[in-house]
Amino acid sequence: MIALPQSSRDFAKLTWDEILPIYNDFFFRPLTVDNAEEWLNEWATFEDLLAEAREQVYFDYTCDTGSPEKEAHNLRFQTEIEPNAAEQRVRLSRRLLEVGYTRPDLEESLRRFRTTNEIFREENVALKAEVERLSAEYQKVTGAMTVEWAGEQIPLPRLKPFMLDPDRDVRERAWRLHRRPYIDHRDELARIFTEQHGLRQKIARNAGFENFRDYMHVEKHRFDYTPADCLAFHEAVEETVVPAVARMLEKRRVRMGLDSLRPWDVDVDPTGQPPVRPFSTSDELIDRGINVFNRVDPALGQRFATMKAEGLLDLQSRVGKAPGGYMTDLPKRKLPLIFMNVAGVPADLVTLFHEAGHAFQGFEQFQNDLLFCQRWPGMEMAEVGSMAMELLSAPYWAKSEGGYYSDADYRRARIDHLDRIIEFFPHCATIDAFQHWLYT
């Protein structure tokens, strides 16, 4: 086997011309049923190093989208190395399928390999690279967005507390300011959107599909349900959940004494109380989080403390940082990391516990020595751990339990969280229905 760099950061410096010989070494090595396990384990070790390098440069870039150096590293990985590496994974998985190697714990992975081989088209490699280039361009545009508030230029997430202000005029001003940069960059963002849409439809047609919706259903290995099942879900939500949410919103309107609700009215406390402030700094958010996870299970508290000690929690919002939040894995180190943009609002707390649920799943996968091809449970099951962690941790959010809120504020925060779970279903179904419409 070709000697590999020992650290992911060293690996991230390699060019594709330096990485391809490693894949070729695996491809041309003799492979039989007898040596397939050893071959697969060595391939998995290599993929872990590559994956950690990829995730590290992406993390570095999203933390600082204004850095030309980090942008260049991320672009090189996302548009050159990863699309070509994906092609090589198809090539190697095909060899494994051809020798007929199998074992019970690999059945699902082999099924995914077969599906990916069936829909792979060489001409799509360059198209997917262009999609990723456009995604990086989107991150750069949105990561640079700021607004002026009280004489200071601030990133958009820091407007969130003002959108919870009891003063309706303040809320409206903050809400409109938050949307203003997207309107100002509408032409640029619309161009990215339109170009990606065209590329994705072309990718689907190259693979023999009528549209990108049908292609992605297969590409994401959704073996257990169909697009028609998604449409049935939309109808069920519209029939059963939307009326409940409508009743909740009407109750809110009446309590607030308004003729009609506007977008800046749906998150504020309906009784006019000041917003709850669960924490002041990201360090406080983390430290109280350790307390809460210790109450859920000491093993979870220890894991979260490990993430703090290893510097794997970048939570503070700042200028140049990409919007949103995510969790990803560092497979070589066998550790997860979390990226967020906190502003001191209750939604930040929920997001942290959500992403921590993903992180704890990552710990479990590594501790059970799962190979790279066995770890991904599918988007549907991945969200079970994260959304469940919101609910498992919620009983301990009060300060009396080691958490964040006074007893009175805890009741307000808990009711708000439970309301948002109901409201999430129409949100989820609407976005999914939009994607079905967009691509079909």
Side-chain angles (χ1 to χ4, degrees):
M1 182 177 178
I2 296 176
L4 300 175
Q6 290 304 301
S7 78
S8 60
R9 289 199 178 276
D10 288 337
F11 189 96
K13 299 173 184 177
L14 298 182
T15 65
W16 176 246
D17 288 340
E18 293 172 305
I19 295 172
L20 180 57
I22 303 172
Y23 276 111
N24 284 336
D25 177 62
F26 283 108
F27 184 77
F28 291 111
R29 193 184 304 178
L31 180 62
T32 67
V33 171
D34 293 333
N35 72 351
E37 183 170 353
E38 179 184 0
W39 181 89
L40 178 58
N41 287 336
E42 289 187 14
W43 176 26
T45 299
F46 165 64
E47 290 291 352
D48 282 350
L49 190 59
L50 175 64
E52 179 160 318
R54 179 189 67 236
E55 296 306 311
Q56 188 68 62
V57 297
Y58 178 75
F59 176 72
D60 291 344
Y61 173 62
T62 53
C63 287
D64 184 11
T65 61
S67 166
E69 182 181 8
K70 293 175 182 176
E71 178 186 10
H73 282 314
N74 180 61
L75 267 176
R76 184 171 60 85
F77 240 96
Q78 301 300 333
T79 66
E80 177 187 347
I81 293 177
E82 182 53 32
N84 284 303
E87 179 180 12
Q88 296 302 315
R89 288 184 204 110
V90 173
R91 189 177 174 220
L92 295 187
S93 66
R94 188 179 300 136
R95 284 211 70 200
L96 191 67
L97 293 168
E98 287 171 351
V99 299
Y101 176 73
T102 187
R103 63 185 197 224
D105 68 312
L106 276 181
E107 288 180 359
E108 184 69 11
S109 298
L110 293 172
R111 186 183 185 187
R112 293 181 182 193
F113 282 157
R114 281 191 292 271
T115 300
T116 301
N117 271 270
E118 289 168 2
I119 66 173
F120 174 78
R121 300 293 185 273
E122 186 175 350
E123 59 267 34
N124 281 342
V125 174
L127 298 180
K128 290 186 175 183
E130 181 62 12
V131 170
E132 292 304 320
R133 186 194 67 77
L134 290 164
S135 294
E137 186 179 347
Y138 174 84
Q139 294 276 22
K140 184 177 182 178
V141 172
T142 55
M145 289 178 176
T146 62
V147 295
E148 183 177 333
W149 187 272
E152 180 186 2
Q153 286 294 130
I154 62 173
L156 302 190
R158 285 174 54 188
L159 284 170
K160 292 178 183 177
F162 305 108
M163 289 190 273
L164 302 177
D165 197 287
D167 187 320
R168 198 182 192 201
D169 290 337
V170 172
R171 294 199 307 273
E172 180 179 355
R173 186 159 64 91
W175 189 93
R176 291 186 181 278
L177 261 182
H178 187 274
R179 272 66 181 177
R180 186 77 247 171
Y182 288 93
I183 296 171
D184 292 341
H185 289 84
R186 173 179 176 158
D187 290 345
E188 194 171 5
L189 297 177
R191 174 187 56 79
I192 294 172
F193 183 97
T194 301
E195 289 182 18
Q196 285 194 324
H197 179 271
L199 288 165
R200 286 167 170 161
Q201 295 286 48
K202 188 173 182 180
I203 287 167
R205 289 192 294 269
N206 286 346
F209 291 84
E210 185 177 341
N211 57 70
F212 188 69
R213 189 278 307 268
D214 294 347
Y215 169 80
M216 285 304 293
H217 197 87
V218 176
E219 201 271 345
K220 287 183 176 292
H221 305 132
R222 288 174 169 160
F223 302 129
D224 301 312
Y225 64 99
T226 68
D229 291 323
C230 297
L231 301 180
F233 169 71
H234 303 162
E235 293 174 1
V237 170
E238 184 174 12
E239 181 180 334
T240 62
V241 186
V242 169
V245 173
R247 291 193 297 272
M248 292 165 62
L249 292 174
E250 175 60 14
K251 182 178 179 181
R252 167 178 283 272
R253 184 194 67 76
V254 171
R255 293 182 73 184
M256 295 179 72
L258 299 173
D259 293 332
S260 63
L261 289 177
R262 301 303 301 276
W264 44 86
D265 298 322
V266 295
D267 295 324
V268 68
D269 186 282
T271 65
Q273 296 184 72
V276 295
R277 295 274 304 177
F279 60 92
S280 299
T281 66
S282 56
D283 286 340
E284 183 183 355
L285 174 62
I286 293 168
D287 290 339
R288 291 187 181 275
I290 294 173
N291 295 340
V292 171
F293 289 127
N294 275 325
R295 293 301 307 274
V296 179
D297 189 299
L300 301 184
Q302 183 178 15
R303 288 172 178 173
F304 197 67
T306 296
M307 296 184 72
K308 176 188 176 182
E310 295 288 336
L312 300 172
L313 299 165
D314 192 304
L315 310 184
Q316 193 64 44
S317 174
R318 55 185 178 268
V319 175
K321 190 175 181 180
Y326 63 82
M327 166 268 169
T328 193
D329 289 323
L330 301 175
K332 181 73 164 55
R333 296 173 63 185
K334 300 186 183 301
L335 290 169
L337 62 78
I338 293 175
F339 169 99
M340 282 178 56
N341 281 274
V342 303
V345 297
D348 294 333
L349 187 152
V350 175
T351 299
L352 179 66
F353 286 101
H354 179 101
E355 299 302 337
H358 287 306
F360 297 147
Q361 176 182 304
F363 275 105
E364 287 293 327
Q365 292 168 343
F366 292 132
Q367 291 190 359
N368 283 279
D369 295 323
L370 297 182
L371 302 176
F372 78 98
C373 56
Q374 296 175 300
R375 293 189 200 121
W376 178 235
M379 187 69 74
E380 299 77 12
M381 284 307 299
E383 294 303 322
V384 171
S386 57
M387 303 191 88
M389 189 53 60
E390 296 178 23
L391 291 164
L392 290 169
S393 64
Y396 310 107
W397 290 352
K399 286 182 178 178
S400 59
E401 299 288 345
Y404 302 86
Y405 297 112
S406 68
D407 287 347
D409 284 348
Y410 169 73
R411 286 191 291 272
R412 292 168 61 196
R414 189 74 195 277
I415 290 170
D416 181 68
H417 179 234
L418 293 171
D419 282 349
R420 290 181 188 279
I421 291 174
I422 300 172
E423 293 167 355
F424 173 76
F425 280 93
H427 172 76
C428 171
T430 298
I431 290 175
D432 192 52
F434 173 73
Q435 293 183 96
H436 284 256
W437 169 82
L438 177 69
Y439 290 114
T440 61

